[in-house]
Amino acid sequence: MTVNHAGALKKEYFLSYLNLIKISRNCTIEQAKEIAIELFFHHNAEEYGSHTYKRFLDAFQELNVELLTPYRPSGLIEGGDS
């Protein structure tokens, strides 16, 4: 993915980037995070500034929570047979 050095990258960018790594390399989100830190940030959290790195971590956290939260279809009421 092309990087524009003009400003801090958004969380949405990293959501896409981490998903791309996860799908293309058939790996876990934790492995995708490590790959991104190696290839994108070159093991340097300040490579693109602290705001960009914070948004990367926010995106990772969001994806990690999504994967840990059980899927519940909307409209279903737990414990109800009505």
Side-chain angles (χ1 to χ4, degrees):
M1 296 175 91
T2 303
V3 177
N4 181 352
H5 294 277
L9 296 169
K10 296 184 179 193
K11 180 176 78 170
E12 291 75 15
Y13 176 89
F14 290 112
L15 289 170
S16 296
Y17 186 68
L18 288 166
N19 270 318
L20 176 66
I21 293 171
K22 184 177 168 289
I23 291 166
S24 66
R25 297 196 181 213
N26 194 30
C27 63
T28 67
I29 193 62
E30 184 63 41
Q31 290 168 325
K33 177 187 174 189
E34 294 303 317
I35 291 166
I37 288 172
E38 177 185 346
L39 297 178
F40 188 86
F41 290 102
H42 306 108
H43 296 285
N44 178 5
E46 294 297 317
E47 180 84 9
Y48 296 101
S50 60
H51 286 66
T52 294
Y53 191 69
K54 165 100 172 62
R55 290 180 181 139
F56 167 74
L57 294 177
D58 290 344
F60 167 74
Q61 185 64 32
E62 183 176 316
L63 291 173
N64 204 29
V65 167
E66 284 178 11
L67 292 172
L68 296 176
T69 304
Y71 173 71
R72 291 200 174 114
S74 61
L76 294 181
I77 300 172
E78 286 189 34
D81 289 330
S82 35

